[in-house]
Structure formats: C-alpha cells, structure tokens
Amino acid sequence: MNDKNISFTEENYMKAIFHLSENGQNEVFTNDISDYLKPKPASVTDMYKKLAQKNLITHVKYQGVRLTENGKKVALLVVRKHRLWEVFLVEKLKFHWDQVHEVAEQLEHIHSPLLIQRLDKFLGFPQYDPHGDPIPDEKGNMNVARKKTLEEATLGEKGVVVAVQDTNPVFLKHLDKLQIGLKCTLEITDKVEYDGSVEILINNFKRTIVSKQVARNIYISC
Amino acid sequence: MNDKNISFTEENYMKAIFHLSENGQNEVFTNDISDYLKPKPASVTDMYKKLAQKNLITHVKYQGVRLTENGKKVALLVVRKHRLWEVFLVEKLKFHWDQVHEVAEQLEHIHSPLLIQRLDKFLGFPQYDPHGDPIPDEKGNMNVARKKTLEEATLGEKGVVVAVQDTNPVFLKHLDKLQIGLKCTLEITDKVEYDGSVEILINNFKRTIVSKQVARNIYISC
DNA sequence: TATAATTTTTAGGTAACTCGAAAAAATAAT
DNA sequence: ATTATTTTTTCGAGTTACCTAAAAATTATA
Ligand SMILES: [Mn+2]
Ligand SMILES: [Mn+2]
Ligand SMILES: [Mn+2]
Ligand SMILES: [Mn+2]
C-alpha cells in the first residue's frame, strides 16, 4: 500500500534517513535526525511513529529506524527530484552550483510524475547533479562512480574531480576561488603529515595547498 | 513592512481574493472565498484576521475584505509565478494546456526571487500564459489585451482567440476536439437566439456551433 | 555489578489551519 | 416595523508538527 499522502515534512525525514543510513543500508538513530534536520529528539520520535505506521520505516524502540522497501522508493524519488532540479537550475537557468541547493529543497516536494519524467527528458537524462551526485532513474537505480577523497588519495595519484561531499555555499565558493570544479584534473604532489593538508596540481597547471577539511570534501575518480 | 513570512495557505487566499475582486478592485465576501477555495466560512474569517494583521487586506466586519497595496503586490507575485510556470510547462516541457494548472498551483509557492527572474528570462519574458492570461512583470504591471467573449461578440464579428476564461481540463479538451485554440481566427456566422449558442467559422475554414456555456468562456480580440 | 551518563521515549502543551454548532449582524420579506 | 432568511462571526475542538520537562531504557564507567 504505497500511501501517496506524504507531507512535505515527511519527505524531508525520509530523505534524511536515506542519507544518514548510507542509502538505506544502516539504521538511523533519533539524535542523528535531530542533529541533521534540527527538530528536537522528542519530535523525531513522534515522526518515527507516523512513518512506521505508514510502512515507510521500521522502528524498534531505542534501536533506531530502517527504511522499508517502500520507504526506500519514496526517499529515492525525493533525491531524484532534488538532483534533477539542481541540474535544471544550473544548466538551463544558469545558477551557480552554490545557489541551487536551497531552491531544490523546495522544488523536490512538487508532486507530479509527468513533470519529473518530462524534466528528465528535457535535461537529456542526466546521470549526475552539479555536485557530482548520481541521479536515480525512475526505477531508483543510479550509477555510483568509483571515487575517493583527496584525503584518501596517495602521493602521485591523479584523477578528475567527479563530486564534492559538502554542498555548503561557503565551501563551494572557496573551491571557485581555488579554481577547482567538477571535471578538473588534480594530481597529488604532496601530503603534509603535520596537518593533513594536501598539495595539488590543478589541470596540470596551477599549484595549491588545500586543508584536510577541504581534501575530505573533494572526490576524484579512481 | 513587507512581511516575507507568508505561508502556502496565505498565498492561496491572497490569489483568490485578487481574482474574486477583479484584480483588487472590489471587496470580497466570506462565502466567495469559501465557495472558491473550499474551506468553511468559519475558516475564512479566521484567515481574514490573520491576513489583516499582516496588513495584506483590510477587513471590515460583515462587509468583506479588500487588498491593501502591499497585499496586491503579494497577490500579483503569486499570479506572476503561476503563469510563468505554466508557460514553462507548455513551451519547454511540452505539457498540454489542460495539464498545467494543477502543477502550477504547486510551483507558484516556491520562494526564490532569483528563480523567477531567471525563469522569466529563460522563457523570453512572455506576456501571456498558455490560456491567454497576462503575466505581471516584476513591478506588477501587465498588458491586458482588448478582448470580448464570443457571447458578447455580434454577428459578423471576426477576431483572434486571445484567451479562455475557464481553464478546467474538461473544457480545454473540448476546445481541442473542436480545433479551437489560442491564435485561431473565429468569425461569428450566426447567433442563435433560442439557446444563446453561436455558430462560428474557425480559421476561415471549419464551421461549428458552440453552446452559450462555451461562448462565454472564449475571448477574441476586438 | 552497581552507578553514572547518554539516549530515547512519554506526557503535556503551543501555534497554524481546519471544522461544526451556535450566536450575532445584515439583508430580505412580510 | 416586525419577522424570516442569509451571511458572517464566535466558540470549542481536532490535526499536524513542533516544543520542554520528566521518565524509561540503553550504554558506558567505575
Ligand atoms: Mn542539494
Ligand atoms: Mn546536489
Ligand atoms: Mn492556472
Ligand atoms: Mn493560466
């Protein structure tokens, strides 16, 4: 029984549970959601009850929640919508990659299967969003690219920037200033043991050092 | 003080008041809104109080409400967003003109000045929506076309279809079947006194009779 | 293993939007 | 000018999503 009457708020919880559980693999605890979405833990428990009753999650008292098959579908659809809209904003409306997330948070809640199907087609069935995150197709399948963070990469490794972990505008603007974006080629020219910062060569041309904090949030192909 | 914290529901009320007052000219009564948006009259009175407190309407007890200047601006922005999205759906996503209204009812509530500004540009600053309704510009000005209904038009008059009054899918699909759409040329070849139906010549080619009900809902240029 | 700290749930309450029933005001009919 | 009808408002109450404070369960520490 796929309850279509899912509210704005419920969709946000489903997406949060999906992300915090590594795409539905692990269980998610009350405080995780509270930290992520900002309602108090008591409110999270209330919502757990409602979502469990709608068969979107299974809730074992004091042991967290897991997405049901049904719930995974619901979450994947929200993620799909969010990412398709982000592509639209960047590709068609010339938004900058640090401007799209907030608006997509609203657009992802528009209910219309036809709209999403047509939008997907209009955009040429994109596989990745402006931050390199994979876009689920109408069945919920997505192409997860092989990738590692700059923190994980070892000296001498070279790859193309395929995604960013953090989509915070402050972080993305910082990358712009460093002239780092998706599709850039990066080569690890040094790894500073002292503070975990990484020296890189951008597009075989520009040399810079990025902090551990930054290195953790950039993915290159591998 | 232009209160930006306006809810989904409040926006719907503002738009309804705008339409039911002929673009803010007349006062609107409790039952008008109740019939139009479907909440019970008691709920309408509650909302009147809230909107009045936000300086969006003036409410004289038992005498209906009127939009304030501020309220008119808010309503016009919602109308602008609604109609721009309808253009997007038809022009870019190939929606049919009878499919757009429901989705636009959702999209009109997305809050993002940049989004609307960019969407407007992307669409080429359209003046009219897919039903011939004028689109307010960012200042709230709109080009109201000179027009009359087929019911008002007299025998022998000829004009181009510039708008439809009713945007109900059933009505629009009926027009499709009759091969009547925006930009069609219509000539009044007979007005039937008995039932108010109108005989027309479509694009100097096809002859049909439309009922008074239909004639009332088609606008031609004049 | 007993105690302390943390996490989660329950209990009770608020604000927004809705309702039905009843009271009040305005309008229409006698 | 009364009376009847219609419209609008008030009142009490339900729902959703949130809160704080307190209780219960789990996990960590001594
Ligand atoms: Mn995003
Ligand atoms: Mn993204
Ligand atoms: Mn419409
Ligand atoms: Mn329209």
Side-chain angles (χ1 to χ4, degrees), chain B residues 23-87:
Chain B
N23 299 3
Q25 289 167 20
N26 316 322
E27 76 277 40
V28 176
F29 298 96
T30 305
N31 277 359
D32 298 338
I33 299 285
S34 178
D35 292 343
Y36 191 74
L37 290 182
K38 298 309 179 195
K40 300 300 170 192
S43 308
V44 175
T45 302
D46 284 351
M47 186 56 83
Y48 277 177
K49 284 183 189 154
K50 194 163 11 143
L51 294 175
Q53 229 220 307
K54 291 192 174 190
N55 280 307
L56 296 171
I57 60 175
T58 54
H59 182 207
V60 180
K61 264 193 197 171
Y62 295 97
Q63 300 299 135
V65 296
R66 307 190 85 103
L67 293 176
T68 62
E69 277 310 305
N70 227 301
K72 212 174 288 182
K73 270 185 215 162
V74 168
L76 274 162
L77 177 56
V78 180
V79 169
R80 169 168 161 77
K81 289 192 283 185
H82 183 102
R83 293 179 181 166
L84 281 175
W85 281 116
E86 286 192 345
V87 172

Side-chain angles (χ1 to χ4, degrees), chain A:
Chain A
M1 210 152 289
N2 197 335
D3 198 346
K4 279 283 173 194
N5 290 99
I6 180 157
S7 74
F8 192 101
T9 308
E10 287 167 348
E11 284 191 335
N12 281 337
Y13 270 81
M14 292 308 293
K15 191 163 63 111
I17 296 169
F18 181 79
H19 286 136
L20 293 171
S21 66
E22 317 280 326
N23 299 4
Q25 287 166 23
N26 316 322
E27 75 277 41
V28 176
F29 298 96
T30 304
N31 277 359
D32 299 337
I33 299 287
S34 179
D35 293 343
Y36 191 75
L37 292 183
K38 300 306 178 196
K40 300 298 173 196
S43 307
V44 175
T45 303
D46 284 350
M47 185 56 83
Y48 277 177
K49 284 182 188 154
K50 197 166 5 146
L51 295 175
Q53 230 221 306
K54 290 192 175 191
N55 280 304
L56 296 171
I57 60 176
T58 55
H59 182 207
V60 180
K61 264 192 196 170
Y62 295 96
Q63 300 299 136
V65 296
R66 306 191 86 102
L67 294 176
T68 62
E69 278 309 305
N70 226 301
K72 212 174 289 181
K73 271 184 214 161
V74 168
L76 275 162
L77 178 56
V78 181
V79 170
R80 170 169 161 76
K81 289 192 283 185
H82 183 101
R83 293 179 180 167
L84 281 175
W85 280 116
E86 286 191 345
V87 173
F88 169 73
L89 294 173
V90 167
E91 296 294 317
K92 303 296 182 180
L93 300 195
K94 307 304 172 196
F95 274 57
H96 199 264
W97 70 341
D98 65 341
Q99 299 176 309
V100 299
H101 185 75
E102 195 199 346
V103 184
E105 283 292 312
Q106 298 178 61
L107 286 163
E108 73 189 5
H109 302 292
I110 304 290
H111 293 299
S112 169
L114 181 62
L115 174 64
I116 295 309
Q117 183 218 290
R118 291 288 173 85
L119 183 65
D120 197 14
K121 186 178 185 178
F122 182 60
L123 299 172
F125 305 104
Q127 302 267 321
Y128 298 97
D129 84 358
H131 313 103
D133 293 312
I135 300 176
D137 67 18
E138 53 298 332
K139 287 179 187 114
N141 302 118
M142 50 187 176
N143 276 3
V144 183
R146 284 171 44 84
K147 61 187 198 289
K148 59 171 65 166
T149 66
L150 237 48
E151 191 185 26
E152 293 160 343
T154 53
L155 187 63
E157 274 197 81
K158 199 171 169 177
V160 173
V161 178
V162 294
V164 289
Q165 176 67 45
D166 189 357
T167 63
N168 188 300
V170 179
F171 172 62
L172 297 177
K173 285 204 185 82
H174 179 55
L175 290 191
D176 290 336
K177 203 158 61 189
L178 295 173
Q179 297 177 51
I180 297 171
L182 293 191
K183 291 176 185 150
C184 280
T185 300
L186 299 188
E187 185 180 346
I188 317 285
T189 54
D190 193 19
K191 299 210 79 173
V192 182
E193 211 182 323
Y194 174 64
D195 62 356
S197 60
V198 181
E199 191 191 77
I200 53 175
L201 185 65
I202 305 172
N203 287 328
N204 302 308
F205 180 73
K206 196 193 165 213
R207 196 171 299 277
T208 336
I209 293 177
V210 297
S211 69
K212 180 160 83 176
Q213 169 95 339
V214 167
R216 246 205 285 269
N217 285 297
I218 298 174
Y219 285 105
I220 58 171
S221 56
C222 67

Side-chain angles (χ1 to χ4, degrees), chain B residues 110-125:
Chain B
I110 305 290
H111 293 298
S112 169
L114 181 62
L115 175 63
I116 296 309
Q117 184 217 292
R118 291 289 173 86
L119 183 65
D120 197 14
K121 187 179 185 180
F122 182 59
L123 299 172
F125 305 103

